[in-house]
Amino acid sequence: MKQYLKTIFALTMSATMLFAAVGCSSQEPTSDPASDEQQEATSGEVLTMATNAEFPPYEFYEAGDVVGIDVEIAGAIAETMGKTLKVEDMAFDSIIPALSAGKADIGAAGMTVTEDRKASVDFTDTYVKASQVIIIKADNTEIVGPDDVEGKTIGVQLGTTGDIYASDVTDNVERYNKGFEAVQALAQGKIDAVIIDDQVAKALAADNADVKVLDTPFTEEEYAIAVKKDNTELVEQINAALAELKESGKLQEIVDKYISAE
Ligand code: GLN
């Protein structure tokens, strides 16, 4: 009987979480599914970017606006295409479903290219090299490199590559909606380590004296923009714009604005 109740509880919880994820999938509330806003998302003049604005320095809130490297790159791409950029903030694991459903044109969210994701979306050329790194408590002397997190309790952001890699090395993965929450749990001693993208780790650790980032990366990866599967035309348009941005030095300029050289 207890087991039965547990199952019901678990089912109710996942339904609630799913609802919550869908519920927060738009920055502005949409009352009617066929509202102007949604039609606008697929109209010619607007390029709608799905992102998760919990990912500094790539996308985060500043004075109520979503800003960051991805926002500026997407803005420059939209400009090349003669369109206006519109940013939709949602849970990271809602981005691919939003693209598939045609609710957004591009996913720009520090999204790592993976074979699994290629089954659901198409990726443009890559625009940034990144890595997954380990954050530990500042006074931790036991974990010094990637081998030491095996079997440990690792915090990740739900549905990210950090989540996938952590799940490879331990059964104890704590999944958070925001990387910030994982770092908070670490600082409070609730978990042993966090696996997350390098620049985000630096940004989060800079705000928290109780934690530090290990030098040795866990994995190397690359970010690209995702679009709905088989939208070859859009991929080509974005690749052309990206090539131009790389060539002109504008892309590096955007990155340098948010990431100081080491
Ligand atoms: N780069 C990671 C991934 O693609 C995390 C991205 C994110 O959280 N915005 O899974």
Side-chain angles (χ1 to χ4, degrees), residues 51-55 58-59 70 92-93 95 108-114 117 123 130-132 157-165 177 179 196-198 200 221-224:
T51 196
N52 173 239
E54 296 293 342
F55 205 65
Y58 292 94
E59 39 269 333
D70 286 336
F92 183 73
D93 63 348
I95 296 173
M111 194 184 282
T112 306
V113 179
T114 70
R117 288 176 184 162
F123 282 104
S131 58
Q132 294 293 311
Q157 191 186 353
L158 176 74
T160 59
T161 44
D163 186 353
I164 298 164
Y165 299 132
N177 283 320
I196 197 161
D197 301 55
D198 53 350
V200 181
E221 41 192 44
E222 285 189 283
Y223 297 163

Side-chain angles (χ1 to χ4, degrees), residues 5-17:
L5 282 175
K6 256 193 200 163
T7 310
I8 294 284
F9 178 70
L11 284 174
T12 316
M13 278 309 284
S14 26
T16 313
M17 279 158 70

Side-chain angles (χ1 to χ4, degrees), residues 56 133-135 183 196-206 211 213:
V133 296
I134 300 163
I135 314 179
V183 172
I196 197 161
D197 301 55
D198 53 350
Q199 293 303 334
V200 181
K202 274 189 205 162
L204 294 175
V211 305
V213 183

Side-chain angles (χ1 to χ4, degrees), residues 44-45 77-84:
E45 299 312 310
I77 290 170
E79 202 183 315
T80 321
M81 295 168 72
K83 296 188 181 191
T84 316

Side-chain angles (χ1 to χ4, degrees), residues 22-82:
V22 171
C24 69
S25 71
S26 172
Q27 223 174 314
E28 300 141 54
T30 327
S31 48
D32 168 3
S35 72
D36 293 349
E37 195 189 324
Q38 285 208 347
Q39 281 169 12
E40 198 184 52
T42 49
S43 85
E45 299 312 310
V46 174
L47 187 75
T48 305
M49 159 181 165
T51 196
N52 173 239
E54 296 293 342
F55 205 65
Y58 292 94
E59 39 269 333
F60 56 100
Y61 278 95
E62 199 175 75
D65 291 323
V66 182
V67 297
I69 295 172
D70 286 336
V71 183
E72 294 209 19
I73 291 176
I77 290 170
E79 202 183 315
T80 321
M81 295 168 72

